[in-house]
């Protein structure tokens, strides 16, 4: 199978990055790639989706990587996984990889090991230049579930109609389930036995980078990875609830300009000109003349180390940096003086943040369970809302009309193949009941 054929299959199956912002996967493929790095770091605490896929489906993943290596003309594929999780991999399959183009690379148990800049450095020693994408250093970074979705599309023509999700946090048990895309999150939690949310708040994603769920409206999308339930009074939730106005007021009153947020920043430690203390100072003191203090936010990955680990004043440089980054993106503003970092800072080794320290700092040690069970529950939502924008790029346009009958796997929306976008499919059998500029609603 050649590269163009795989790209078409991947586009038709609606595959986007399952572990991040949802970059359309077919647009990631390039014949300039030498190395494929599979991001199996899953570095946010309490998340177990990728590990469950690696544990159960390692051989299909390896087969798919070999297919991609041939199509891309790439040299090797590296599965980057933390040493503490190696026991999850089938030892016979791991042994069979010796001398092949697919290898397993143990990465340290640090946060954020899954950031593509950090992961690329830890697995290959290469540093992606500022403002660049991995292909500029001959690398493609791809998430575990994304590779598994490619496997299903290539072998069975199966589109993305469901999503693996870990449910955990302040819960009697943690589980990983497979849910239909478009199911309302409240309905999913109720059906999975986590419906009592009195005094609780649900976070979509990990405790560091996740967002608070709007239980009335939010649905499962192609990038939903975890639903973590915490008491609303928990500091993780309280921090995410702070309005930007208050974040800036507190910073203007309490920031002592100690620079620890920049000194601990994982990207700064890899040589990036990302000094978030300047951003929070400029934003909280209205120093709008210092444009560089704002433009550098485009280099931020939003990991939150500056906020959770570095700042001793309980300020939130992560939120400020991501707010500025979002505004830059919205207005199409770019930093033009990007450079390739010259060297990794010598102090990096002593400033790496271990997962264990992070768990304690977040105050979630009591929520870490011995085991996360993988459970196959049949979900039968009465309706699904297939969002038209679950990915980076252009929203998909509806390809059906109200009243149409659809079956699981039918295309309900798509972007043109030339555009940055993807295809959306029905995740239940039913009738198209409503089409808005946000979703296609299907009822059973
Ligand atoms: S969130 Fe903070 S620590 Fe993380 S990359 Fe951005 S500035 Fe650096
Ligand atoms: S670590 Fe906190 S107090 Fe220090 S410069 Fe950063 S935001 Fe200000």
């Amino acid at each position: 199978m050649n590269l163009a054929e795989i790209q078409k299959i991947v586009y038709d199956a609606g595959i986007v990055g399952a572990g991040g912002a949802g970059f359309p996967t077919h647009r990631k493929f390039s014949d300039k790639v030498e190395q494929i790095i599979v991001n199996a770091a899953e570095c946010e605490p309490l998340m177990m989706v990728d590990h469950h896929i690696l544990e159960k489906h390692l051989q299909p993943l390896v087969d798919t990587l070999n297919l991609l290596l041939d199509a891309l003309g790439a040299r090797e594929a590296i599965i980057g996984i933390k040493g503490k999780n190696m026991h999850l991999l089938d030892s016979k399959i791991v042994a069979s990889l010796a001398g092949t183009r697919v290898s397993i690379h143990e990465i340290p148990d640090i946060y954020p090991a899954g950031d593509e800049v950090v992961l690329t450095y830890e697995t290959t020693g290469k540093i992606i230049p500022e403002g660049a994408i991995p292909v500029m250093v001959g690398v493609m970074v791809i998430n575990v579930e994304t590779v598994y979705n490619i496997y299903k599309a290539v072998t069975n023509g199966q589109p993305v109609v469901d999503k693996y999700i870990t449910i955990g946090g302040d819960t009697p048990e943690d589980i990983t389930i497979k849910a239909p895309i478009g199911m309302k999150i409240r309905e999913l939690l109720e059906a999975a036995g986590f419906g009592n949310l009195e005094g609780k708040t649900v976070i979509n994603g990990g405790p560091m980078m996740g967002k608070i769920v709007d239980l009335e409206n939010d649905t499962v999308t192609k990038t939903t990875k975890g639903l973590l339930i915490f008491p609303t009074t928990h500091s993780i939730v309280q921090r995410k609830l702070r309005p930007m106005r208050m974040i800036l007021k507190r910073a203007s009153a309490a920031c002592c300009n100690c620079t620890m947020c920049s000194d601990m920043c994982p990207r700064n430690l890899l040589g990036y000109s990302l000094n978030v203390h300047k951003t929070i100072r400029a934003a909280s003191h209205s120093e709008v003349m210092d444009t560089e203090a704002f433009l550098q936010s485009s280099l931020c990955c939003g990991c939150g180390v500056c906020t959770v680990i570095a700042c001793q004043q309980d300020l939130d440089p992560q939120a400020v940096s991501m707010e500025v980054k979002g505004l830059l993106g919205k207005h199409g503003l770019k930093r033009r003086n990007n450079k390739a970092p010259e060297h990794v800072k010598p102090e990096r080794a002593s400033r790496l943040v271990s997962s264990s320290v992070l768990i304690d700092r977040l105050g979630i040690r009591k929520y870490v369970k011995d085991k996360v069970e993988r459970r196959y529950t049949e979900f039968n939502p009465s309706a699904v809302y297939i969002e038209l924008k679950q990915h980076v790029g252009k929203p998909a346009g509806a390809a059906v009309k109200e009243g149409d009958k659809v079956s699981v796997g039918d295309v309900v929306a798509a972007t043109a193949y030339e555009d940055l976008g993807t295809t959306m499919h029905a995740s239940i059998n039913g009738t198209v009941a409503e089409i808005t500029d946000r979703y296609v609603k299907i009822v059973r």
Side-chain angles (χ1 to χ4, degrees), residues 265-266 274 276 300-306 318:
C265 168
L274 175 54
V276 71
C300 170
C301 67
C303 69
V305 165
C306 48
Q318 172 199 28

Side-chain angles (χ1 to χ4, degrees), residues 10-199:
V10 167
Y11 162 80
D12 286 341
I15 300 173
V16 300
F23 192 85
T25 302
H26 65 289
R27 294 291 290 267
K28 253 191 183 189
F29 297 151
S30 160
D31 54 9
K32 294 191 179 65
V33 166
E34 294 166 12
Q35 292 163 298
I36 301 171
I37 303 172
V38 180
N39 189 347
E42 202 152 55
C43 60
E44 281 254 24
L46 308 177
M47 309 291 271
M48 278 299 285
V49 164
D50 293 338
H51 291 134
H52 277 144
I53 295 173
L54 279 161
E55 192 178 8
K56 304 287 177 194
H57 306 289
L58 183 57
Q59 193 58 54
L61 295 174
V62 169
D63 294 345
T64 308
L65 290 172
N66 277 313
L67 181 84
L68 291 176
L69 285 169
D70 288 342
L72 294 164
R75 179 162 46 90
E76 61 172 341
I78 303 165
I79 301 174
I81 182 169
K82 292 181 176 176
K84 70 173 184 185
N85 294 319
M86 283 293 288
H87 68 280
L88 295 170
L89 305 181
D90 183 315
S91 54
K92 280 200 192 111
I93 300 174
V94 173
S96 75
L97 297 177
T100 73
R101 292 179 296 168
V102 180
S103 62
I104 310 282
H105 187 103
E106 287 186 35
I107 52 176
D109 188 14
I110 56 167
Y111 179 85
D115 168 32
E116 67 182 8
V117 176
V118 175
L119 183 71
T120 299
Y121 176 70
E122 291 292 347
T123 50
T124 67
K126 296 176 178 174
I127 303 181
I128 301 168
E130 290 179 355
I133 51 174
V135 72
M136 293 193 64
V137 289
V139 163
M140 178 175 86
V141 180
I142 194 164
N143 167 267
V144 171
E145 191 175 0
T146 311
V147 180
Y148 189 50
N149 283 337
I150 296 173
Y151 167 78
K152 290 189 285 186
V154 168
T155 52
N156 303 319
Q158 207 175 311
V160 181
V161 292
D162 43 36
K163 183 75 185 72
Y164 288 98
I165 299 170
T166 298
I167 303 176
D170 184 16
T171 50
E173 58 170 359
D174 287 5
I175 60 170
T176 294
I177 46 100
K178 196 163 72 164
I181 304 274
M183 187 172 182
K184 285 249 168 144
I185 286 178
R186 181 190 283 282
E187 194 183 349
L188 172 69
L189 291 172
E190 279 165 3
F194 298 85
N196 183 4
L197 296 173
E198 184 74 30

Side-chain angles (χ1 to χ4, degrees), residues 243-313:
M244 184 50 63
R245 196 169 29 84
M246 190 195 290
I247 290 171
L248 291 174
K249 242 187 192 162
R250 293 177 83 249
S252 100
C255 177
C256 59
N257 213 20
C258 68
T259 78
M260 277 305 290
C261 45
S262 299
D263 296 344
M264 291 293 293
C265 168
R267 289 193 166 190
N268 176 297
L269 289 168
L270 283 174
Y272 274 40
S273 319
L274 175 54
N275 294 288
V276 71
H277 70 282
K278 292 186 181 171
T279 315
I280 194 163
R281 184 183 163 82
S284 61
H285 287 76
S286 306
E287 289 173 1
V288 290
M289 303 300 277
D290 184 4
T291 51
E292 175 58 21
F294 294 101
L295 290 171
Q296 61 167 0
S297 291
S298 58
L299 305 176
C300 170
C301 67
C303 69
V305 165
C306 48
T307 293
V308 174
I309 301 290
C311 187
Q312 302 303 307
Q313 307 280 22

